[in-house]
């Protein structure tokens, strides 16, 4: 009799945890993570992936500059035009002019004369003016040259303006890079002609 009663008790205790049909099994089936109405899983939406940057492809244009030049300052001009200032010619001379260049036709004309011939300068467009920082002619320069940004209309040779020299850089600087972010323009890197310059202006 005792053996039979003990077997019944053990069987009753074993049911809830064994096949999941007892009270414990029902709680597990309806709890969080189950497929029932009260315990259905919620899937979080995946964050949208940022769109990749547009592809850029370089190609050669059909026209060439009238004179081979390197290490010039190139700034955005009106429309599809570019402003090319200074630079180093094949003969080793620095350029003393700023030219408006059409990127579609290759036509080019003088829009400003520089105070001093330079190459390896940097530049920016500030308040409707093109600004040339430092550079090198016969030596590294601290001069800041400014001229009005061209409108795109041809300028007669007799009316080409001359750039003006504004406040100089704290020290001569050649080979710098200029970056404009918002209303601030930064002159970064370069050297005084001998040693690299660590100051960001």
């Amino acid at each position: 009799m005792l053996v039979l009663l003990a077997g019944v008790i053990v069987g009753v205790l074993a049911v809830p945890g064994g096949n999941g049909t007892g009270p414990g099994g029902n709680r597990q089936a309806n709890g969080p993570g189950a497929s029932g109405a009260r315990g259905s899983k919620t899937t979080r939406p995946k964050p949208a992936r940022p769109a990749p940057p547009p592809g850029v492809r370089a190609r050669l244009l059909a026209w060439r500059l009238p004179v081979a030049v390197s290490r010039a300052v190139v700034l955005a001009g009106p429309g599809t035009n570019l402003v090319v200032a200074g630079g180093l010619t094949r003969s080793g001379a620095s350029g003393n002019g700023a030219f408006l260049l059409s990127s579609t036709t290759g036509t080019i004309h003088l829009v400003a004369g520089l105070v001093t011939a330079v190459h390896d300068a940097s530049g920016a467009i500030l308040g409707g003016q093109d600004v040339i920082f430092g550079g090198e002619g016969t030596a590294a320069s601290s001069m800041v040259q400014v001229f009005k940004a061209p409108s795109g209309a041809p300028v007669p040779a007799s009316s080409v303006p001359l750039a003006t020299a504004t406040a100089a850089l704290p020290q001569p600087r050649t080979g710098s890079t200029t970056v404009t972010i918002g209303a601030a323009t930064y002159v970064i890197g370069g050297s005084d002609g001998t040693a690299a310059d660590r100051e960001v202006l």
Side-chain angles (χ1 to χ4, degrees):
M1 182 71 175
L2 291 176
V3 173
L4 179 61
L5 183 59
V8 171
I9 293 174
V10 170
V12 171
L13 293 177
V15 168
N19 57 15
T21 57
N26 289 337
R27 284 197 301 270
Q28 185 177 4
N30 293 332
S35 59
R38 289 185 301 169
S40 59
K41 287 185 178 180
T42 57
T43 57
R44 295 180 180 178
K46 294 182 179 180
R49 292 184 177 180
V56 177
R57 179 176 294 178
R59 62 185 177 89
L60 292 176
L61 297 176
W63 50 264
R64 293 175 180 257
L65 295 173
V67 177
V69 64
S70 64
R71 296 150 73 174
V73 174
V74 180
L75 300 173
T80 59
N81 295 312
L82 301 171
V83 175
V84 182
L88 190 65
T89 65
R90 185 173 291 172
S91 64
S94 299
N96 62 352
F99 297 84
L100 189 65
L101 170 67
S102 170
S103 64
T104 56
T105 65
T107 57
I108 187 169
H109 59 270
L110 183 67
V111 291
L114 300 180
V115 178
T116 182
V118 291
H119 64 273
D120 279 345
S122 62
I125 304 171
L126 301 173
Q129 294 183 310
D130 288 353
V131 185
I132 309 299
F133 297 97
E136 183 176 353
T138 55
S141 172
S142 61
M143 183 179 294
V144 178
Q145 305 185 58
V146 178
F147 57 92
K148 184 178 180 181
S151 62
V155 180
S158 58
S159 303
V160 172
L162 184 66
T164 57
T166 65
L169 299 173
Q171 61 278 328
R173 184 173 292 204
T174 179
S176 64
T177 298
T178 303
V179 179
T180 300
I181 303 175
T185 295
Y186 302 88
V187 181
I188 306 166
S191 72
D192 62 3
T194 302
D197 198 326
R198 299 175 59 184
E199 291 188 5
V200 177
L201 307 177

